[in-house]
Every structure is written in C-alpha cells, then in structure tokens.
Amino acid sequence: MSSVHKPQKSLVLIGLMGVGKTTVGRRLAQALKLQFRDADEEVEQAAGRSVSDIFEDFGEAAFRDGERKVIARLLEEPPMVLALGGGAFVDEETRARIKAQATSIWLQADVETLVKRVSRRDTRPLLRKDDPETVLRALLAKRQAAYAEADIHVDASGGSHHITLDAILRALDDREAKT
Ligand code: S3P
C-alpha cells in the first residue's frame, strides 16, 4: 500500500467511457479521505434531467456547455477526487483550467476491454448511434492527443479496479517524491 498524503489539489480522472473513472474514483477518494464527485452526476443535478435526456432535448453542444460550467465550479471547491465524462478534457477551456488547478490522471484501457465494460449499461447517448466498438475507436483516435496531456497516465486494462487504484497511488507517490 502506498503512503500518499492528502493532496493539495483536486485529482481529476479522465479517459474514455467504460474505463472505470467513477468506480476507481470512489475508491481513490476513500483511500485519500477526500470527497468524491462525478461531473456527469453534477450536470444531471444542475439540469434536473439525465445525460441522455439533455442530449435528446437540447443536443450535445448544450451538454458540453453545462459540463464546462459544472467542472469550473467544482474546481473552485476544496480538493476532491473528480471523475469526468469522457469528452470533458477534450474541451480546451476545461483542459486549461484543470492544468492550472488540479492533477489530471488518464485511465487507459484497450478498446476490447472498454467494449465489454460499456455493454453493462445503456445510459450513454454517444454509444447508441453506431456499434460501441466503432464509436470508441473513433473517439480514441480523436481524443488521444488531448488525453495524453494529463499529468499521470495509468493502465486500467487489468481485470480489477484495485490494481488500477494501487497504480494511481504509486504514481502519486512518485510525483510527491519528486517535488
Ligand atoms: C461522454 C461520456 C459520458 C457522458 C456523455 C458523453 C463522452 O461519461 O459524459 O455520455 O463524450 O465520452 P462517461 O465517460 O462517464 O461514460
């Protein structure tokens, strides 16, 4: 187990749909005794409707506006673990804010693993358009360069979330040791 101290800045989890940002984020928050927040949930609360309904009723651009505002607000709060929706870090403004105010962690997994994981829920509007594997491959190609700007890159392909959690704690430890 690692000896990471309570971070001074929020830890923001980024990466494609299905990689486990929310599940791992909750565990990371518990391990570091920080509060956990999920950007999608916060957008839903602010809008009073689900992500799917926001996409359907107002379109993706409106969702992205809400997402940008909600994340900006959350970054002003005391340090937390924040799981983002898969597209949020691609937004230039959001990425700049996170770079200035938080530590970003990219959870990576191969597309085959993601496909298996996303098949468990049907709550993601972008995956309803085409077959999930095609969509996820296209999104990865489009988003990879932005994701790669994250401070920490962690492999989340392994079978279990606690392996990913340990990898994050180790990476945070290493970073702390260098500062
Ligand atoms: C999206 C990912 C979703 C949600 C929305 C759009 C994306 O979040 O924000 O459906 O653009 O990748 P998760 O990554 O938590 O599934």
Side-chain angles (χ1 to χ4, degrees):
M1 205 46 190
S2 147
S3 60
V4 179
H5 302 113
K6 225 173 172 154
Q8 304 296 306
K9 294 196 278 189
S10 284
L11 302 175
V12 177
L13 297 180
I14 67 155
L16 281 178
M17 294 176 266
V19 77
K21 294 167 296 216
T22 302
T23 311
V24 172
R26 277 188 207 289
R27 292 178 186 197
L28 179 62
Q30 237 171 28
L32 296 174
K33 299 189 172 51
L34 289 173
Q35 62 159 330
F36 172 77
R37 309 281 277 278
D38 180 274
D40 282 342
E41 258 173 42
E42 298 282 330
V43 173
E44 289 182 331
Q45 262 171 31
R49 59 185 83 201
S50 69
V51 170
S52 298
D53 286 348
I54 301 171
F55 267 69
E56 204 163 304
D57 298 345
F58 306 118
E60 180 171 349
F63 171 75
R64 298 298 173 198
D65 283 346
E67 186 176 48
R68 191 181 308 112
K69 284 185 195 129
V70 159
I71 293 168
R73 165 169 60 74
L74 291 169
L75 289 171
E76 295 303 326
E77 293 190 23
M80 64 177 72
V81 174
L82 173 61
L84 297 193
F89 198 68
V90 180
D91 182 90
E92 230 170 278
E93 217 177 293
T94 295
R95 204 158 68 244
R97 250 187 215 120
I98 291 171
K99 282 186 184 181
Q101 294 176 270
T103 302
S104 48
I105 303 168
W106 177 21
L107 299 188
Q108 291 175 276
D110 51 89
V111 171
E112 289 76 14
T113 304
L114 298 177
V115 171
K116 269 188 224 142
R117 292 193 188 147
V118 296
S119 67
R120 293 178 203 151
R121 282 199 293 137
D122 178 32
T123 52
R124 296 179 169 107
L126 294 179
L127 296 179
R128 294 188 187 138
K129 289 184 186 166
D130 207 336
D131 91 283
E133 177 164 357
T134 307
V135 174
L136 286 164
R137 283 199 194 285
L139 287 177
L140 180 61
K142 224 161 96 184
R143 294 175 174 175
Q144 198 155 20
Y147 287 164
E149 292 183 36
D151 298 311
I152 294 172
H153 300 184
V154 166
D155 176 20
S157 298
S160 100
H161 289 310
H162 84 255
I163 296 176
T164 307
L165 174 63
D166 280 352
I168 296 174
L169 292 172
R170 267 200 311 278
L172 289 170
D173 241 358
D174 289 349
R175 238 176 116 75
E176 206 174 293
K178 280 184 200 141
T179 54

